[in-house]
């Protein structure tokens, strides 16, 4: 599977240069406290404001769900995210904390410090909420401060200054500082003029630099790239090729200015605008009439206390997260025969997203992003578009996050929850029984699922994450990719001009190369199948020879189970020619037939990293060296690329932890699964890419005594509303 490039991050990274100072002084400025009015949690302004970037007024958008007042919210569950009031309290505690009295630090992230897992598992609805704590990563004097704050006592409980490599996630304020520094640099004006532009014609953005050696030590740096925004909102298609500025974020200083592409033309603006306009010429195809799944009795799911989701036989906790985007926790499914709630997973979320570009040129080699740890999937989420991102009757959930000054802000409608029916069958069978005189048997059950969705717009790329729950106990996790290519300017406007086409890369439009790249998304899956203590079992499918030769068959497959004792046993590289199943079982819970209760990981389309293991980007993302890892549960091991990813060296990754080769048999274990895409761009990806997707499944294996939806009721005509089309469909 493949898709396109991700080079510049955060929707708010893209600052229109001539308006930069205006933003800094305006209500849209993220450096201002966004609280105000009747809502003490500000709403993050779209950056830059739509009214300032639109070339002409857009058509009316679908009506957004109503906004909620979060000021009075209180935690009802030990896993609920920090509330507006709690965030204000954390800021107040830090403001009076002795080490921060002279200078208040930059708050790079603030999240719930979750109670111990045993306490959460023992908690029942109606019990007192365990002590609420916040985990803060702050930056002061170029040092990363890791703090735990007890909200009940009002005290800083722990305070550690990180001694390892890496910095915390960037904030919007970091990005504003870097771009402001770059656009005021005198040499930029000369480079723009050499291309027939002024600085006012540019949009400049700030991708992360990766890490490539000691010259980058001791300072936080950002790369700044610029594009022409003349005549199009899609400036990604119009790069000033070869122009790269390296900025010291904290000192606000340009460390290096490089412009090696003054002879390379800026790709044209023709056909780059992707916005809908009523006068647009539609594709040459027959019209598709509007379609919608109607629910005359309303949705079948409920959301209690803001985060507890109940649907059909499922129950789970759902919350937004500034780094992970969407987190599902305490996932339980009801047994179809006993009605008992049975545990499947304690927690699941995307832990890291690695995007390396395959170009070693001076202006491209550093493009090897780790989006979750460098920018945050929740921080880059934007409101979902009703009726297009999410169907009618969807439920929307806001994120409450924290800006650099410690104030809360609202990421509106960043998650949606909805039921899906696409005409598929949950199960079916038809039979013509010849022995019974040709009696026809036909049985089918409609497949309805529940989807929890969020989308991160990390610069030019859009990542949609779906957690889809089926009534048969299966969970399908899908990542869909769309957005813009990151293109490279070239003197060529036709492949006929290129002698060595393999060296150049694919031409996707005149003077624009679509640079080959990868995407790897690593998921943290804390499986608790019928309880915390589980075992990972690799079921190899082995070819056996029919040596006895009593039948004409010469070979067949036989499953052979291998129980993983230690972490080394559970490092898995997927291969079509070494087929296996991957089970997480509870050896203490047996079915009536003596099989251990379990779930299995079912891979879908995937890709593996081909980078050299000693290549700096691969050192930092060594968690992609395997597609499956299993580690013992450790509450500090959440992020596959490490806690502090920005400019990290790769010394605190899943690969490093796993080298301890700890015991994992009949233990509380975490399974890590990496989903990968190779993307060789093509013309159809221009100017915005059609969505591509890849997925994997968590499927019950001997978890239920039989098909859990065997006795599900079919759908009958009288169950459905009568809808009559305004015009009869043509019958040919």
């Amino acid at each position: 599977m493949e898709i396109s490039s991700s080079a510049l991050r955060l929707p708010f990274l893209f600052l229109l240069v001539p308006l930069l100072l205006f933003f800094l002084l305006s209500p849209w400025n993220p450096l201002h406290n966004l609280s105000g009015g009747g809502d003490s949690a500000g709403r993050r302004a779209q950056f830059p404001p739509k009214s300032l970037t639109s070339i002409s007024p857009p058509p009316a958008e679908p009506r957004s769900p109503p906004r909620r007042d979060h000021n009075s919210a209180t935690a009802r569950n030990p896993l609920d995210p920090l509330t507006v009031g709690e965030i204000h309290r954390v800021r107040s505690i830090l403001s009076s904390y002795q080490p921060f009295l002279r200078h208040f630090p930059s708050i790079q992230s603030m999240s719930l410090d979750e109670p111990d897992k045993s306490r959460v598992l023992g908690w029942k609805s109606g019990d007192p909420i365990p002590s609420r704590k916040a985990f803060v990563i702050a930056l002061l004097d170029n040092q990363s401060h890791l703090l735990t704050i007890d909200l009940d006592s009002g005290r800083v409980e722990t305070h550690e200054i990180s001694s390892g490599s890496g910095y915390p996630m960037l904030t919007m304020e970091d990005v504003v500082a870097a771009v402001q520094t770059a656009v005021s640099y005198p040499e930029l004006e000369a480079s723009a003029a050499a291309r027939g532009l002024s600085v006012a014609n540019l949009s400049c953005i700030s991708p992360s630099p990766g890490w490539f050696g000691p010259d980058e030590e001791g300072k936080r740096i950002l790369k700044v790239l610029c594009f022409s925004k003349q005549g199009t909102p899609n400036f990604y298609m119009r790069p000033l090729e070869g122009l790269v500025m390296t900025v010291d974020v904290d000192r606000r200083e340009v460390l290096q200015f490089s412009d090696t592409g003054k002879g390379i033309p800026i790709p044209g603006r023709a056909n780059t605008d992707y916005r809908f306009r009523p006068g647009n010429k539609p594709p040459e195809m027959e019209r598709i009439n509007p379609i919608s799944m109607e629910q005359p009795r309303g949705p079948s799911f409920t959301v209690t206390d803001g985060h507890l989701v109940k649907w059909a036989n499922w129950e789970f906790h759902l919350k937004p997260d500034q780094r992970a985007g969407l987190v599902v926790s305490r996932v339980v499914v009801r047994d179809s025969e006993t009605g008992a709630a049975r545990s499947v997973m304690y927690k699941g979320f995307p832990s890291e997203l690695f995007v390396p570009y395959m170009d070693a040129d001076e202006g491209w080699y550093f493009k090897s992003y780790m989006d979750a740890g460098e920018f945050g999937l929740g921080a880059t989420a934007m409101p979902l578009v009703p009726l297009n991102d999410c169907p009618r009757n969807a439920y929307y959930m806001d994120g409450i996050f924290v800006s650099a000054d410690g104030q809360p802000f609202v990421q509106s409608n960043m998650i949606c929850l909805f039921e899906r029916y696409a005409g598929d069958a949950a199960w079916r069978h038809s039979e013509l029984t010849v022995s019974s005189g040709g009696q026809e048997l036909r049985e089918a059950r409609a497949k309805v699922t529940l989807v929890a969705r969020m989308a991160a717009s990390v610069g030019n790329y859009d990542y949609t994450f779906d957690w889809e729950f089926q009534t048969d106990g299966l969970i399908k996790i899908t990542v869909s990719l769309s957005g813009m290519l990151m293109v490279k300017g070239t003197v060529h406007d036709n492949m006929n001009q290129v002698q060595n086409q393999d060296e150049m890369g694919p031409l996707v439009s005149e003077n624009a190369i679509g640079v080959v790249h990868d995407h790897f998304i690593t998921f943290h899956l804390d499986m608790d199948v019928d309880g915390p203590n589980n075992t990972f079992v690799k079921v190899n499918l082995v070819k056996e020879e029919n040596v006895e030769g009593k039948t004409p068959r010469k070979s067949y497959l036989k499953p052979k189970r291998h129980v993983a004792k230690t972490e080394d046993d559970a490092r898995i590289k997927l291969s079509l020619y070494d087929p296996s199943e991957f089970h997480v079982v509870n050896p203490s819970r047996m079915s009536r037939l003596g099989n251990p209760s379990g779930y299995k990981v079912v891979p879908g389309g995937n890709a593996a990293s081909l980078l050299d293991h000693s290549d700096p980007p691969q050192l930092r993302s060594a968690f992609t060296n395997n597609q499956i890892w299993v580690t013992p549960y450790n509450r500090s091991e959440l992020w596959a690329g490490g806690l502090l990813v920005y400019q990290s060296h790769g010394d605190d990754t899943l690969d490093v932890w796993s080298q301890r080769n700890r015991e994992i048999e009949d233990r509380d274990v975490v399974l890590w699964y990496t989903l990968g895409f190779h993307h060789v761009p093509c013309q159809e990806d221009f100017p915005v890419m059609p969505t591509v997707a890849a997925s994997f499944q968590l499927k019950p294996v001997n978890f239920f005594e039989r098909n859990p939806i065997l006795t599900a009721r079919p759908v009958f005509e009288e169950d459905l509303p009568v809808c009559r089309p305004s015009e009869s469909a043509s019958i040919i």
Side-chain angles (χ1 to χ4, degrees):
M1 257 317 179
E2 37 168 280
I3 192 149
S4 87
S5 107
S6 174
L8 297 358
R9 314 337 243 150
L10 306 178
F12 40 77
L13 304 190
F14 320 132
L15 309 178
L16 291 180
V17 174
L19 299 170
L20 185 61
L21 293 178
F22 171 70
F23 290 159
L24 295 174
L25 299 174
S26 75
W28 293 293
N29 176 9
L31 299 178
H32 291 172
N33 180 357
L34 292 181
S35 9
D39 190 348
S40 66
R43 294 185 181 271
R44 182 70 86 181
Q46 185 173 349
F47 198 87
K50 184 176 295 185
S51 60
L52 297 178
T53 61
S54 298
I55 291 176
S56 58
E61 295 183 354
R63 184 168 51 189
S64 297
R67 290 182 172 179
R68 303 172 182 86
D69 180 7
H70 296 282
N71 290 319
S72 59
T74 58
R76 305 293 183 86
N77 185 293
L79 298 176
D80 283 355
L82 294 176
T83 65
V84 169
E86 289 174 329
I87 293 170
H88 282 307
R89 178 154 171 73
V90 171
R91 191 185 192 285
S92 175
I93 294 168
L94 292 178
S95 296
S96 59
Y97 182 48
Q98 182 64 36
F100 299 155
L101 287 180
R102 290 187 62 192
H103 298 287
F104 189 78
S106 172
I107 305 300
Q108 306 299 114
S109 72
M110 184 190 299
S111 58
L112 175 73
D113 184 48
E114 296 182 359
D116 288 340
K117 183 175 178 179
S118 59
R119 296 200 65 187
V120 175
L121 291 176
W123 183 86
K124 299 291 186 295
S125 179
D127 290 350
I129 300 292
S131 176
R132 299 275 288 175
K133 299 179 182 181
F135 178 62
V136 175
I137 303 180
L139 201 63
L140 183 65
D141 298 329
N142 204 37
Q143 292 182 314
S144 299
H145 296 253
L146 315 178
L147 305 103
T148 305
I149 292 95
D150 188 311
L151 292 168
D152 291 343
S153 68
R155 296 175 56 252
V156 174
E157 193 172 79
T158 65
H159 182 179
E160 172 190 352
I161 297 176
S162 173
S163 58
S165 70
Y167 291 101
M169 282 194 309
L170 289 174
T171 66
M172 182 190 292
E173 291 75 6
D174 293 328
V175 170
V176 170
V179 174
Q180 182 186 16
T181 300
V183 299
S184 61
Y185 195 64
E187 290 189 41
L188 177 61
E189 185 174 356
S191 285
R195 295 169 171 87
L197 300 171
S198 69
V199 173
N201 301 135
L202 304 182
S203 285
C204 294
I205 57 178
S206 51
S208 56
W211 177 79
F212 292 91
D215 290 345
E216 300 173 357
E217 292 300 304
K219 51 186 174 291
R220 292 193 305 152
I221 61 174
L222 268 171
K223 302 289 186 177
V224 175
L225 312 178
C226 294
F227 303 75
S228 170
K229 68 182 181 64
Q230 282 188 319
T232 179
N234 190 355
F235 57 84
Y236 293 112
M237 299 300 107
R238 311 199 67 203
L240 276 63
E241 190 55 51
L243 193 156
V244 181
M245 290 173 277
T246 303
V247 176
D248 185 316
V249 179
D250 297 306
R251 294 178 62 186
R252 302 198 177 193
E253 175 185 348
V254 174
L255 302 175
Q256 183 179 11
F257 183 95
S258 175
D259 188 358
T260 60
K262 290 181 181 178
I264 299 175
I266 297 173
R269 67 189 183 189
N271 301 314
T272 59
D273 194 343
Y274 54 90
R275 297 169 300 174
F276 173 74
R277 292 291 182 267
N280 288 356
K281 182 180 181 295
E284 291 292 340
M285 62 174 66
E286 297 297 324
R287 186 185 70 177
I288 299 176
N289 292 326
I291 186 170
S292 176
M293 188 186 86
E294 302 303 324
Q295 296 180 283
R297 299 179 185 175
S300 302
F301 63 87
T302 61
V303 180
T304 306
D305 295 333
H307 298 281
L308 184 63
V309 179
K310 296 181 181 180
W311 175 78
N313 49 346
W314 287 101
E315 180 178 313
F316 57 93
H317 187 273
L318 176 67
K319 69 177 177 183
D321 182 87
Q322 198 158 351
R323 182 166 178 170
L326 181 156
V327 179
V328 296
S329 304
R330 298 298 309 275
V331 180
V332 299
V333 65
R334 190 182 311 153
D335 191 286
S336 59
E337 299 192 17
T338 67
R342 299 173 62 186
S343 171
V344 174
M345 181 167 56
Y346 181 72
K347 184 192 290 187
F349 58 90
S351 178
E352 194 50 82
L353 201 169
F354 173 50
V355 187
Y357 281 79
M358 305 303 162
D359 193 317
D361 282 0
E362 183 68 23
W364 283 82
Y365 75 92
F366 58 86
K367 295 179 181 177
S368 53
Y369 309 115
M370 296 174 70
D371 287 337
E374 292 177 339
F375 298 98
L377 300 178
T380 58
M382 294 180 70
L384 295 161
V385 181
L387 303 184
N388 293 276
D389 279 326
C390 312
R392 186 174 292 159
N393 287 327
Y395 173 90
Y396 292 85
M397 187 178 292
D398 297 340
I400 309 297
F401 300 147
V402 182
S403 57
D405 61 0
Q407 297 286 357
F409 68 88
V410 178
Q411 208 80 312
S412 300
N413 302 329
M414 63 167 283
I415 293 175
C416 72
L417 195 65
F418 61 90
E419 289 166 293
R420 170 185 282 162
Y421 172 64
D424 297 325
W427 68 262
R428 75 173 316 280
H429 183 65
S430 297
E431 188 83 50
L432 185 64
T433 55
V434 178
S435 60
S436 301
Q439 181 182 0
E440 186 180 86
L441 297 177
R442 292 185 303 152
E443 290 287 341
R445 301 293 183 270
K447 180 180 178 179
V448 179
T449 62
L450 180 70
V451 179
R453 169 175 294 171
M454 68 83 59
S457 297
V458 194
N460 57 303
Y461 251 100
D462 291 68
Y463 298 91
T464 301
F465 296 84
D466 283 357
W467 290 73
E468 185 171 8
F469 297 83
Q470 299 184 182
T471 53
D472 59 2
L474 183 144
I475 305 171
K476 182 179 180 181
I477 297 101
T478 302
V479 181
S480 303
L481 284 67
S482 185
M484 313 298 173
L485 287 172
M486 185 58 59
V487 301
K488 181 179 184 178
T490 176
V491 297
H492 303 295
D493 58 19
N494 193 288
M495 292 300 290
N496 294 332
Q497 303 165 352
V498 183
Q499 290 185 349
N500 191 338
Q501 296 185 1
D502 289 339
E503 286 295 320
M504 188 183 84
L507 200 66
V508 296
S509 186
E510 287 78 3
N511 305 115
I513 298 169
V515 179
V516 176
H517 56 280
D518 290 339
H519 304 259
F520 299 103
I521 305 96
T522 297
F523 286 84
H524 174 286
L525 304 166
D526 183 358
M527 302 299 292
D528 275 13
V529 180
D530 275 324
N533 282 16
N534 288 173
T535 294
F536 181 73
V537 180
K538 182 180 180 184
V539 183
N540 296 57
L541 300 179
V542 180
K543 183 176 75 171
E544 297 281 345
E545 304 292 339
N546 185 12
V547 293
E548 296 184 4
K550 294 181 180 179
T551 68
R553 281 291 296 274
K554 295 185 179 298
S555 60
Y556 56 95
L557 295 182
K558 178 175 287 187
K560 293 190 175 181
R561 293 166 50 88
H562 172 73
V563 174
K565 304 287 188 180
T566 66
E567 291 174 275
D568 282 355
D569 297 334
R571 295 184 177 208
I572 305 295
K573 289 179 170 63
L574 298 178
S575 171
L576 290 175
Y577 295 96
D578 182 20
S580 302
E581 290 194 351
F582 311 102
H583 297 190
V584 177
V585 304
N586 187 326
S588 302
R589 176 71 180 256
M590 297 293 177
S591 73
R592 76 180 195 282
L593 301 179
N595 292 311
S597 167
Y599 262 71
K600 64 181 178 181
V601 180
V602 183
N606 213 331
S609 177
L610 303 180
L611 297 181
D612 193 283
H613 283 196
S614 63
D615 195 351
Q618 192 64 31
L619 283 172
R620 300 176 69 230
S621 61
F623 51 86
T624 64
N625 291 345
N626 302 301
Q627 286 74 55
I628 295 176
W629 311 67
V630 179
T631 60
Y633 170 80
N634 183 325
R635 63 172 294 166
S636 68
E637 295 177 1
L638 296 174
W639 310 108
L643 176 64
L644 304 179
V645 167
Y646 199 85
Q647 295 177 236
S648 64
H649 305 175
D651 50 5
D652 181 31
T653 67
L654 170 59
D655 178 66
V656 173
W657 311 331
S658 184
Q659 288 176 16
R660 287 175 281 179
N661 197 25
R662 296 162 291 185
E663 293 184 359
I664 57 173
E665 184 183 10
D666 198 14
R667 302 290 175 92
D668 191 354
V669 295
V670 175
L671 185 144
W672 307 76
Y673 184 84
T674 296
L675 195 61
F677 299 77
H678 295 310
H679 187 196
V680 180
C682 59
Q683 288 178 224
E684 288 82 357
D685 294 331
F686 178 89
V688 61
M689 298 169 290
T691 298
V692 299
S695 63
F696 67 97
Q697 299 174 348
L698 302 174
K699 188 178 189 298
V701 54
N702 302 315
F703 186 86
F704 299 105
E705 295 293 349
R706 56 186 58 79
N707 180 348
I709 54 172
L710 179 68
T711 58
R713 181 180 183 274
V715 177
F716 297 101
E717 192 69 33
E718 55 268 26
D719 296 329
L720 305 175
V722 177
C723 299
R724 301 187 185 280
S726 57
E727 297 179 6
S728 299
S730 299
I731 300 176
I732 300 176

